Amino acid sequence: MGVLAAVHAGAAEAKFPAVTRDLSLVCDRATPAAQLEKAIRSVKSGIIEDVKLFDVYEGDRISADKKSVAYSLVLRAPDRTLTDEECTDVVNKVIDALSKIGAVLRA
């Protein structure tokens, strides 16, 4: 058995497709990324499968007391294909949770 076949055979295959949504945020420079991720994961939707930080920017294109952070959210339901409306609803709840700790969508 080849390496790829062995990896494929050992991986649990999901029945339904994942949806990825990226969020680019601006927050206080002192706000830890872990606090932002905790706020994202606090949304009890049942469909947030994974959260990954993929960018942090602090520099001349943003206020000195702020930073930009970007997260990738992977959404998936175990029993159905998600609708755009379901995904948008969860993302809006995530944005609301983040706003409570001072993070806003980057314009």
Side-chain angles (χ1 to χ4, degrees), residues 27 31 41 55 82 85 106:
C27 64
T31 304
R41 292 185 185 276
D55 188 47
L82 295 171
E85 183 177 312
R106 185 171 181 176

Side-chain angles (χ1 to χ4, degrees), residues 12-20 45-50 73-82 86-87 90:
E13 290 199 37
K15 268 182 130 173
F16 299 95
V19 175
T20 302
S45 66
I47 65 169
I48 298 176
E49 182 175 276
D50 197 17
L73 281 60
V74 177
L75 311 174
R76 185 191 319 257
D79 59 345
R80 68 192 182 288
T81 299
L82 295 171
E86 287 175 296
C87 296
V90 169

Side-chain angles (χ1 to χ4, degrees), residues 25-36 56-58 62-69 71 98-104:
L25 309 163
V26 175
C27 64
D28 289 337
R29 189 173 269 209
T31 304
Q35 184 180 4
L36 297 167
V56 177
Y57 174 78
E58 298 174 1
I62 194 165
S63 177
D65 62 335
K66 301 288 184 184
K67 67 181 173 184
S68 172
V69 293
Y71 284 91
L98 289 163
S99 72
K100 291 176 182 172
I101 58 169
V104 296

